[in-house]
Amino acid sequence: MNLLSSFTSEWSRTRVVFGAGAIDRLAAELDALKLAPGLLVVTPGRAHDLAWLQSRLGDRIVGVCDGAALHVPIERVRAALDHVDRASPQALL
């Protein structure tokens, strides 16, 4: 039995939707929460998924920050904050 097969959790202004197929519900989540546009935050290795995501989310996306990493170096944090400052998103995805 897989105990972490899926879940939804919310804390204050944070909502996490996790599980198989969760990404297919992303547009509906943004619409339901009236959170658009959003800034996509991805690792460089997920760049191949960007075109697919952008085509599904359309104008719900205001930009892409592709420098996410484990144990994030301060330079990447600063670059991500710069993306947020420029894009002024309502959500981080």
Side-chain angles (χ1 to χ4, degrees):
M1 183 168 109
N2 185 349
L3 296 178
L4 289 179
S5 61
S6 65
F7 67 86
T8 300
S9 183
E10 294 183 56
W11 305 279
S12 185
R13 294 183 46 114
T14 301
R15 179 173 169 86
V16 175
V17 178
F18 177 86
I23 199 157
D24 294 325
R25 298 189 314 269
L26 185 53
E29 286 284 333
L30 289 171
D31 292 344
L33 297 169
K34 296 177 176 50
L35 290 174
L39 178 68
L40 285 174
V41 180
V42 299
T43 62
R46 300 304 295 199
H48 62 277
D49 294 324
L50 287 178
W52 179 82
L53 276 171
Q54 288 172 315
S55 71
R56 293 188 56 116
L57 298 175
D59 62 359
R60 294 177 189 95
I61 299 303
V62 72
V64 175
C65 178
D66 63 357
L70 291 176
H71 312 293
V72 185
I74 191 65
E75 297 80 24
R76 289 192 186 195
V77 172
R78 288 184 181 121
L81 289 173
D82 191 45
H83 277 279
V84 170
D85 287 343
R86 284 194 316 269
S88 298
Q90 292 184 5
L92 298 177
L93 313 167

